Amino acid sequence: MPEYKKPLPSLNNPRTKPFWEAAKQHELMFQRCPECGYYRNPPAPRCPECLAVNDDWVQVSGRGKIWSFNVYHHLFSKTFEAEIPYNTALVELEEGPRLITNIVGVRNEDLRVEMPVEVYFDDVTDEVSLVKFKPMTQSA
Ligand code: ZN
Protein backbone atom coordinates (compact mmCIF):
# COMPACT_ATOMS: atom_id res chain seq x y z
CA MET A 1 0.00 0.00 0.00
CA PRO A 2 1.57 3.38 -0.99
CA GLU A 3 2.20 5.83 1.83
CA TYR A 4 -0.86 7.92 2.58
CA LYS A 5 0.11 11.53 3.34
CA LYS A 6 -3.21 13.26 3.94
CA PRO A 7 -4.69 13.80 7.41
CA LEU A 8 -6.00 10.69 9.17
CA PRO A 9 -8.56 10.34 11.94
CA SER A 10 -7.38 9.64 15.47
CA LEU A 11 -8.08 6.03 16.35
CA ASN A 12 -7.52 6.69 20.05
CA ASN A 13 -10.57 8.84 20.71
CA PRO A 14 -12.94 6.56 22.65
CA ARG A 15 -15.96 8.52 21.42
CA THR A 16 -15.28 7.99 17.72
CA LYS A 17 -13.38 4.70 17.94
CA PRO A 18 -16.46 2.50 17.24
CA PHE A 19 -17.09 4.44 14.01
CA TRP A 20 -13.55 3.87 12.71
CA GLU A 21 -13.38 0.26 13.89
CA ALA A 22 -16.60 -0.47 12.00
CA ALA A 23 -15.34 1.34 8.90
CA LYS A 24 -12.24 -0.86 8.92
CA GLN A 25 -14.64 -3.83 8.74
CA HIS A 26 -16.48 -2.03 5.90
CA GLU A 27 -19.53 -1.42 8.04
CA LEU A 28 -21.10 1.99 8.57
CA MET A 29 -22.18 2.47 12.18
CA PHE A 30 -23.52 5.45 14.07
CA GLN A 31 -24.11 6.16 17.71
CA ARG A 32 -27.83 6.07 18.42
CA CYS A 33 -29.77 7.00 21.50
CA PRO A 34 -31.45 3.90 22.99
CA GLU A 35 -34.09 6.10 24.64
CA CYS A 36 -35.38 8.18 21.70
CA GLY A 37 -33.64 6.67 18.64
CA TYR A 38 -31.82 9.87 17.66
CA TYR A 39 -28.59 9.30 15.71
CA ARG A 40 -25.73 11.33 17.17
CA ASN A 41 -23.14 12.37 14.63
CA PRO A 42 -20.61 13.38 15.70
CA PRO A 43 -20.86 11.02 18.67
CA ALA A 44 -21.68 12.80 21.90
CA PRO A 45 -21.76 11.90 25.59
CA ARG A 46 -25.38 13.03 25.93
CA CYS A 47 -28.34 12.89 23.56
CA PRO A 48 -29.12 16.43 22.28
CA GLU A 49 -32.78 15.42 21.90
CA CYS A 50 -33.65 13.77 25.23
CA LEU A 51 -30.44 14.24 27.29
CA ALA A 52 -29.96 10.50 27.85
CA VAL A 53 -26.36 9.59 28.70
CA ASN A 54 -26.39 6.00 27.42
CA ASP A 55 -25.86 5.03 23.81
CA ASP A 56 -25.88 2.17 21.32
CA TRP A 57 -23.90 1.73 18.13
CA VAL A 58 -25.98 0.49 15.23
CA GLN A 59 -25.20 -0.39 11.65
CA VAL A 60 -26.99 1.60 8.95
CA SER A 61 -27.74 0.75 5.33
CA GLY A 62 -25.03 2.87 3.77
CA ARG A 63 -27.60 4.29 1.35
CA GLY A 64 -28.45 7.95 1.23
CA LYS A 65 -28.44 11.07 -0.87
CA ILE A 66 -26.33 14.15 -1.32
CA TRP A 67 -27.77 16.85 0.89
CA SER A 68 -25.19 19.46 -0.13
CA PHE A 69 -21.76 19.56 -1.70
CA ASN A 70 -18.99 21.88 -2.83
CA VAL A 71 -15.95 21.64 -5.05
CA TYR A 72 -12.61 23.00 -3.89
CA HIS A 73 -10.49 24.73 -6.52
CA HIS A 74 -8.25 26.48 -4.00
CA LEU A 75 -5.43 24.52 -2.38
CA PHE A 76 -5.60 24.66 1.41
CA SER A 77 -3.24 21.79 2.15
CA LYS A 78 -0.29 20.72 0.03
CA THR A 79 -1.26 17.08 0.61
CA PHE A 80 -4.36 17.58 -1.57
CA GLU A 81 -2.45 19.14 -4.46
CA ALA A 82 -2.89 16.17 -6.81
CA GLU A 83 -6.67 16.18 -6.30
CA ILE A 84 -7.57 19.79 -7.04
CA PRO A 85 -10.41 20.26 -7.81
CA TYR A 86 -11.96 17.87 -5.26
CA ASN A 87 -15.38 17.67 -3.70
CA THR A 88 -16.70 17.46 -0.20
CA ALA A 89 -20.32 16.57 0.42
CA LEU A 90 -22.86 16.34 3.20
CA VAL A 91 -24.64 13.01 2.76
CA GLU A 92 -27.89 12.20 4.50
CA LEU A 93 -28.37 8.50 5.20
CA GLU A 94 -31.76 6.84 4.75
CA GLU A 95 -31.86 6.45 8.54
CA GLY A 96 -31.43 10.19 9.04
CA PRO A 97 -27.89 10.96 10.19
CA ARG A 98 -25.68 13.15 8.01
CA LEU A 99 -21.94 13.10 7.60
CA ILE A 100 -19.31 15.07 5.74
CA THR A 101 -17.54 12.97 3.15
CA ASN A 102 -16.23 12.83 -0.40
CA ILE A 103 -18.10 11.50 -3.42
CA VAL A 104 -16.04 9.22 -5.66
CA GLY A 105 -16.79 7.57 -8.97
CA VAL A 106 -18.42 10.63 -10.51
CA ARG A 107 -17.12 13.79 -12.15
CA ASN A 108 -17.45 16.87 -9.96
CA GLU A 109 -19.53 18.60 -12.64
CA ASP A 110 -22.06 15.75 -12.49
CA LEU A 111 -22.68 16.05 -8.73
CA ARG A 112 -26.26 16.98 -7.85
CA VAL A 113 -28.14 17.61 -4.63
CA GLU A 114 -30.49 14.66 -3.98
CA MET A 115 -28.25 12.29 -5.99
CA PRO A 116 -28.68 8.76 -4.55
CA VAL A 117 -25.38 7.48 -3.17
CA GLU A 118 -24.06 4.45 -1.33
CA VAL A 119 -21.15 4.03 1.02
CA TYR A 120 -17.69 3.20 -0.27
CA PHE A 121 -14.85 2.30 2.08
CA ASP A 122 -11.48 3.64 0.99
CA ASP A 123 -8.72 1.52 2.59
CA VAL A 124 -6.06 4.24 2.80
CA THR A 125 -3.76 2.55 5.36
CA ASP A 126 -3.57 -0.82 7.08
CA GLU A 127 -5.48 0.68 10.02
CA VAL A 128 -7.81 3.24 8.44
CA SER A 129 -10.68 2.94 5.99
CA LEU A 130 -12.19 6.30 5.15
CA VAL A 131 -15.96 6.51 4.66
CA LYS A 132 -16.77 7.90 1.24
CA PHE A 133 -19.77 7.60 -1.06
CA LYS A 134 -20.35 6.79 -4.71
CA PRO A 135 -23.39 7.07 -6.96
CA MET A 136 -25.85 4.29 -6.21
CA THR A 137 -25.51 1.52 -8.76
CA GLN A 138 -29.02 0.12 -8.38
CA SER A 139 -32.18 1.34 -6.74
CA ALA A 140 -32.70 0.00 -3.26
ZN1 ZN B 1 -32.32 10.56 23.01
Side-chain angles (χ1 to χ4, degrees):
M1 189 173 282
E3 186 185 2
Y4 185 79
K5 295 180 177 170
K6 290 186 277 185
L8 289 167
S10 167
L11 302 179
N12 298 319
N13 182 334
R15 193 152 293 148
T16 56
K17 195 170 185 170
F19 179 88
W20 295 113
E21 285 181 344
K24 190 65 215 167
Q25 302 303 315
H26 289 194
E27 294 177 354
L28 184 56
M29 296 187 77
F30 284 96
Q31 186 190 45
R32 188 173 65 180
C33 177
E35 305 300 328
C36 74
Y38 183 80
Y39 286 92
R40 301 178 209 161
N41 188 48
R46 182 178 288 270
C47 178
E49 292 296 308
C50 75
L51 304 181
V53 294
N54 48 345
D55 63 68
D56 286 334
W57 281 85
V58 297
Q59 188 174 359
V60 297
S61 65
R63 295 185 301 269
K65 62 187 177 184
I66 296 176
W67 199 84
S68 181
F69 69 92
N70 61 7
V71 177
Y72 285 93
H73 295 269
H74 181 81
L75 187 62
F76 291 97
S77 167
K78 195 93 173 143
T79 56
F80 287 82
E81 190 167 30
E83 296 179 38
I84 289 285
Y86 64 90
N87 70 68
T88 62
L90 184 61
V91 164
E92 184 177 76
L93 277 298
E94 284 180 352
E95 294 85 353
R98 295 175 185 162
L99 78 166
I100 295 171
T101 183
N102 304 117
I103 310 296
V104 299
V106 61
R107 298 182 312 165
N108 288 331
E109 52 267 38
D110 293 332
L111 291 170
R112 297 287 181 271
V113 168
E114 300 280 332
M115 175 185 277
V117 290
E118 60 190 357
V119 71
Y120 164 77
F121 296 96
D122 191 357
D123 300 319
V124 295
T125 72
D126 290 339
E127 294 82 30
V128 176
S129 296
L130 296 178
V131 176
K132 300 181 180 182
F133 285 79
K134 61 183 181 179
M136 199 174 293
T137 51
Q138 56 191 22
S139 56

